[in-house]
Each structure stands twice: as structure tokens, then as C-alpha cells.
């Protein structure tokens, strides 16, 4: 058997490149019961092995693993146009990249919220308005198969995606010998959660916040006067123009609470070797979290030039940005976590997300501490503070 049903070294990253690369269209790519995209190999499979060649499951990486970014150039940057910064997730480097290369004749491929199907998917931007649509991070798995299957030999593309999508794509274009025509951009990735979380979140908003069941637009990274870059707001808008805004979204919004406590991410996200050990992109971008820019309210992007092409790209676009040179220690401060830690309640949460319990009840059941427990942990904190003070 020479197809992705063979077991590999890693779990499926659900990047979709197996389906894109299959010359016989023998791989369906759909969402499974737990809410993750998974490939399904059909009877048309000829065992040609094309899918195996691009698949993250068989990625071995270096051994012992090295940090991919130790020797790389690291920058802090934000757009010179403040409107761009405020409309972007962090400092707007993503948008400036896409705008610049769109003007240079590149086709731009990034992620849009597909309202009719309530999913996120990669699209190839055709207009300036498409570039605005693909701007900002959508914290859901995106469907790549349709857009990535449209890539043509003689065209130039800039593609942004998760590190695993970009890894699969790099393998694919290397095999096709299309490398020269592509600029690949990824980001430091926290992982992508189960679609069942998104479904439950939608039900919760419709039920409790009186929004219509059809969402027109979602902005996971809204910046407003109350919730600026660090605090972040979640914004959902329906087709009737009604809006739901949750200020202090990272800490207060139910979707983010489940996403950021790692209780329902794809299993490949937890030991992802593409987070710090290996990177297949030309440029990596991220939020410049950490001490260095803690007082900046607008947003700062972290940028790493990972290849020679990445360095050229950087030389071409940096006149559009305010740039500050940084180093590996700054990067570690900002993105130190090597692996995203597994929440011990993950299996239970994934099972419950399939059922009909409302999301707020699920949160209370699994994560809200009782008054007694809260009191106890407060007491423990005080005790350890006293001990530390006595030692000094
Ligand atoms: C799922 C996910 C997890 C992330 N985790 C982290 C993290 O742990 N730490 C961190 O510092 N930054 C993380 N980021 C990156 C961060 O949110 C910003 O994208 C980054 O700071 C760049 O900001 P920007 O304003 O320059 O670009 P943005 O406007 O945010 O653009 C980034 C590019 O990513 C594409 N994109 C958006 N959503 C998706 C998606 N679901 N899948 C694939 N591509 C997508 C967009 O089309 C765009 O081209 C994550 C992003 C995503 C989508």
C-alpha cells in the first residue's frame, strides 16, 4: 500500500495537499465526526504514492531537532499606514505583502470566511476587495483543496497558510518544479480547533445574542477603542446587520477560551514539528507578543526571513513598513513555547462537542472552578508568596 493510509511518524495535519496532489482525484477531503478535515482514499487509488510524497505524516525532520530560527534574521515591523495596522491582526505585514506582490502581478492566495457554508477556505484573490477579505487571522481550519488545485505552471503566486499547509505545498511545488514561481508565507501557529467548537459557538451566539443563523462576517481580531491589539475583540455580524462584539476576546470570549486552553485542537497541533523545529516558508510572520512591545496598542508583527527568497522579499517590501531589528532572544520571549501543551480534558471535550450540551454549560462543567476550589488556590498562592518572602 503506497498511499496515506500507511501509518506515519506524525498525525494528519489536515493540510489537504494529499487530495491536491492525487492525479486520479482518488482522495476526498471532508470533515469527520470530531470536526477535523480528514482524507478518505477511494477505490480509484492506484497506489502511485503521490500523496505520500507531500504528506506531513511522513515528515521526519532533523534529528536531533534543531531550532529552525536560531540563525535567522528577526524583525519587528508594522505598516506605515496606521489604518492597515488597525485593520490587521498584528502589524499588517501580511496585508502589505499581499498588496505589494499583487501589484507586481502575483496571484495572492489566502483565507476567507465562506459565509454560505460557514467555513474558512483558501481563495485566490481577484480584486482589491478580496485582499481585504483574506486579511486577518481566522482561527479555524481552512479548506485548501479547491484553491490549491487551481495553481498553474506559468503563473506567479504568493500563498499564506498555516505551517503545515505551507509544508505540504512546498513539497508539492518542489515535485512539480514550480518553486521559482511561488512565495510562501506562514506564521507561528497555535493550532486549529475542531469545527464542532465553531458550530457550538455559533449555536451559542444565535441562542443568547439574538443573531440570525446566517453569519455574514466574522472578525476574530477586531481592534476597537476598548479592546486593542493585546486584548482583542471578537466580532460576528449577520446578514441583517446585527453585530455581536465580545471585548477582551482572548480572555472573555467562549470560542477563544476553548481554543487557547488547547482542549480541542487537531492532534497534529500538539507536537507540531513545524512550530519551531522546521519551517518550509520563505517568510514567517506572527504577533510580536511579549515584553518588548507590551505597551504598543496598535499591533506589531514579528517577521523572520527564512530563505534567500524571503530575504529578497523583505528587501522589496520593507519601505512600506516601520522596521526594528531584533534577535533570537526576542523571538524566544515572544514565541517561546516549543510545543502547544495538550489539555488533559481534550478527549472528553471533543466527545461532548458532538453532543447537544450548550457551549457555556460545557465551559462551566469542565473549566469553571467552584468557589471552594477558587478559595483554595488563592490560599495556596498566598502561602507560596509568604514562603518566598521569608526566604528572601
Ligand atoms: C490558526 C492560526 C493560529 C495562529 N497562531 C499564532 C500564534 O500562536 N502566535 C502568533 O504570534 N501568531 C499566530 N497566528 C498569526 C497571527 O494571528 C497573525 O496572522 C500574524 O501576526 C500576522 O498578522 P498580520 O496582521 O501581518 O497578517 P494577517 O492579516 O493576520 O494575515 C495572515 C495571513 O494568514 C492567512 N490566514 C488567515 N487565517 C488563516 C487560516 N485559518 N489558515 C491559514 N491561513 C490563514 C490570511 O489569509 C493572511 O494572508 C496564527 C494565525 C492563525 C490563522
Amino acid at each position: 500500500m503506497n498511499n496515506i493510509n500507511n501509518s506515519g511518524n506524525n498525525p494528519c495535519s489536515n493540510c489537504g495537499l494529499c487530495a491536491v496532489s492525487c492525479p486520479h482525484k482518488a482522495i476526498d477531503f471532508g470533515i469527520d465526526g470530531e470536526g477535523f478535515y480528514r482524507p478518505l482514499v477511494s477505490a480509484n487509488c492506484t497506489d502511485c504514492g503521490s500523496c505520500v510524497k507531500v504528506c506531513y505524516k511522513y515528515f521526519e525532520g532533523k534529528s536531533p531537532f534543531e531550532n529552525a530560527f536560531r540563525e535567522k534574521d528577526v524583525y519587528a515591523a508594522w505598516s506605515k499606514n496606521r489604518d492597515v495596522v488597525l485593520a490587521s491582526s498584528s502589524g499588517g505585514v501580511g496585508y502589505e505583502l499581499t498588496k505589494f506582490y499583487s501589484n507586481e502581478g502575483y496571484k495572492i492566495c489566502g483565507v476567507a470566511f465562506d459565509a454560505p457554508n460557514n467555513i474558512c477556505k483558501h481563495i485566490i484573490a481577484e480584486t482589491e476587495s478580496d485582499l481585504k477579505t483574506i486579511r486577518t487571522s481566522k482561527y479555524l481550519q481552512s479548506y485548501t483543496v479547491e484553491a490549491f488545485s487551481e495553481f498553474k505552471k506559468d503563473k506567479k503566486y504568493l500563498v499564506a497558510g498555516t505551517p503545515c499547509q505551507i509544508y505540504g505545498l512546498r513539497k508539492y511545488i518542489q515535485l512539480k518544479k514550480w518553486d521559482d514561481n511561488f512565495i510562501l508565507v506562514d506564521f507561528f501557529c497555535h493550532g486549529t480547533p475542531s469545527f464542532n467548537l465553531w458550530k457550538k459557538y455559533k449555536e451559542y451566539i444565535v441562542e443568547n445574542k439574538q443573531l440570525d443563523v446566517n453569519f455574514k462576517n466574522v472578525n476574530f481580531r477586531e481592534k476597537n477603542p476598548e479592546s486593542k491589539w493585546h486584548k482583542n475583540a471578537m466580532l460576528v455580524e449577520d446578514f441583517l446587520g446585527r453585530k455581536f462584539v465580545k471585548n477582551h476576546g482572548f480572555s472573555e470570549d467562549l470560542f477563544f477560551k476553548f481554543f487557547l486552553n488547547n482542549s480541542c485542537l487537531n492532534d497534529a497541533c500538539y507536537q507540531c514539528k513545524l512550530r519551531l523545529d522546521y519551517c518550509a516558508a520563505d517568510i514567517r510572520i506572527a504577533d510580536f507578543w511579549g515584553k518588548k512591545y507590551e505597551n504598543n496598542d496598535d499591533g506589531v508583527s514579528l517577521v523572520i526571513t527564512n530563505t534567500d527568497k524571503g530575504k529578497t522579499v523583505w528587501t522589496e517590501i520593507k519601505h512600506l513598513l516601520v522596521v526594528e531589528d531584533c534577535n533570537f532572544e526576542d523571538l524566544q520571549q515572544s514565541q517561546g513555547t516549543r510545543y502547544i501543551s495538550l489539555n488533559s480534558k481534550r478527549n472528553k471535550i471533543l466527545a461532548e462537542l458532538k453532543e447537544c450540551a450548550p457551549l457555556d454549560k460545557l465551559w462551566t462543567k469542565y473549566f469553571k472552578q467552584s468557589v471552594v476550589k477558587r478559595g483554595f488556590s488563592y490560599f495556596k498562592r498566598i502561602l507560596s508568596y509568604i514562603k518566598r518572602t521569608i526566604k528572601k
Side-chain angles (χ1 to χ4, degrees):
M1 187 170 55
N2 189 19
N3 67 42
I4 42 160
N5 282 341
N6 266 327
S7 56
N9 308 313
N10 311 296
C12 167
S13 72
N14 65 34
C15 71
L17 265 298
C18 51
V20 175
S21 65
C22 176
H24 309 288
K25 300 279 162 262
I27 299 181
D28 288 329
F29 200 64
I31 297 178
D32 73 1
E34 285 201 326
F36 298 106
Y37 279 115
R38 293 286 178 241
L40 196 67
V41 181
S42 79
N44 296 341
C45 172
T46 63
D47 262 357
C48 70
S50 301
C51 53
V52 173
K53 290 185 188 142
V54 299
C55 179
Y56 169 74
K57 269 171 61 175
Y58 310 101
F59 172 73
E60 284 176 0
K62 300 167 192 164
S63 188
F65 289 128
E66 287 166 22
N67 194 309
F69 303 115
R70 195 166 278 284
E71 308 297 328
K72 299 286 154 80
D73 294 334
V74 181
Y75 305 94
W78 56 94
S79 171
K80 284 183 180 165
N81 180 345
R82 186 162 183 247
D83 291 343
V84 169
V85 179
L86 295 182
S88 297
S89 309
S90 53
V93 172
Y95 181 72
E96 293 294 8
L97 268 167
T98 58
K99 183 101 190 293
F100 180 84
Y101 282 100
S102 171
N103 290 335
E104 294 290 302
Y106 278 70
K107 301 245 171 214
I108 309 298
C109 183
V111 174
F113 179 67
D114 171 6
N117 295 309
N118 190 38
I119 60 164
C120 281
K121 66 178 197 183
H122 272 79
I123 61 162
I124 298 179
E126 301 290 345
T127 60
E128 167 87 40
S129 135
D130 285 347
L131 290 186
K132 290 191 172 144
T133 306
I134 64 175
R135 169 161 68 186
T136 75
S137 300
K138 291 96 188 161
Y139 296 105
L140 297 172
Q141 308 156 70
S142 82
Y143 182 73
T144 55
V145 181
E146 211 176 281
F148 286 13
S149 300
E150 280 181 37
F151 294 148
K152 306 267 179 329
K153 187 178 169 195
D154 301 320
K155 298 235 160 69
K156 293 186 164 193
Y157 298 93
L158 182 149
V159 189
T162 59
C164 52
Q165 291 166 342
I166 294 302
Y167 170 80
L169 182 58
R170 172 70 78 194
K171 289 276 188 190
Y172 176 68
I173 59 175
Q174 275 172 347
L175 288 168
K176 293 260 187 196
K177 304 205 182 340
W178 293 353
D179 245 38
D180 287 349
N181 284 349
F182 279 74
I183 298 170
L184 301 185
V185 181
D186 72 4
F187 38 76
F188 271 105
C189 184
H190 187 84
T192 46
S194 159
F195 258 109
N196 293 343
L197 170 64
W198 181 243
K199 279 198 208 154
K200 279 261 169 284
Y201 181 71
K202 190 175 175 192
E203 281 169 22
Y204 165 77
I205 292 187
V206 170
E207 187 106 326
N208 296 283
K209 312 292 170 189
Q210 275 79 48
L211 247 66
D212 188 63
V213 287
N214 297 310
F215 291 173
K216 181 181 166 199
N217 183 32
V218 182
N219 188 351
F220 295 82
R221 297 295 300 266
E222 171 80 0
K223 292 171 187 168
N224 65 31
E226 180 152 340
S227 294
K228 298 172 187 170
W229 173 41
H230 285 98
K231 294 269 160 69
N232 189 48
M234 175 74 146
L235 180 146
V236 183
E237 198 179 349
D238 69 15
F239 278 94
L240 304 170
R242 290 180 298 205
K243 285 183 182 176
F244 161 70
V245 181
K246 188 73 186 175
N247 284 326
H248 300 201
F250 285 150
S251 55
E252 303 283 317
D253 180 69
L254 259 185
F255 173 84
F256 273 109
K257 290 209 267 191
F258 278 95
F259 172 46
L260 294 176
N261 83 358
N262 310 333
S263 58
C264 47
L265 302 177
N266 185 21
D267 44 5
C269 301
Y270 295 102
Q271 292 289 313
C272 181
K273 294 167 184 166
L274 305 171
R275 191 175 153 80
L276 270 182
D277 297 326
Y278 184 87
C279 173
D282 296 303
I283 287 224
R284 175 165 288 195
I285 52 181
D287 285 279
F288 213 126
W289 301 131
K291 262 194 144 4
K292 203 171 172 91
Y293 294 100
E294 65 184 354
N295 296 323
N296 182 309
D297 282 336
D298 286 356
V300 179
S301 298
L302 188 156
V303 180
I304 303 164
T305 51
N306 191 47
T307 61
D308 288 343
K309 187 185 274 181
K311 284 185 184 172
T312 308
V313 166
W314 188 239
T315 312
E316 286 182 335
I317 68 149
K318 67 180 183 194
H319 67 281
L320 300 165
L321 309 162
V322 179
V323 177
E324 292 179 2
D325 287 352
C326 295
N327 56 34
F328 184 72
E329 281 66 43
D330 296 324
L331 183 152
Q332 278 186 312
Q333 259 244 348
S334 166
Q335 304 283 338
T337 327
R338 186 172 183 196
Y339 293 128
I340 301 296
S341 59
L342 177 71
N343 189 309
S344 58
K345 295 176 179 147
R346 178 177 181 269
N347 289 346
K348 284 185 186 154
I349 298 289
L350 284 180
E352 294 241 26
L353 284 174
K354 284 193 221 167
E355 308 299 329
C356 48
L359 201 57
D360 49 344
K361 298 260 161 38
L362 217 58
W363 181 264
T364 310
K365 177 169 170 189
Y366 283 98
F367 299 115
K368 199 160 179 196
Q369 286 186 335
S370 67
V371 177
V372 177
K373 266 191 178 168
R374 273 209 304 263
F376 185 62
S377 60
Y378 183 65
F379 176 69
K380 263 175 53 183
R381 279 213 304 276
I382 301 237
L383 208 65
S384 82
Y385 173 76
I386 294 171
K387 273 186 192 161
R388 278 201 313 273
T389 320
I390 292 171
K391 261 189 193 168
K392 278 182 198 161

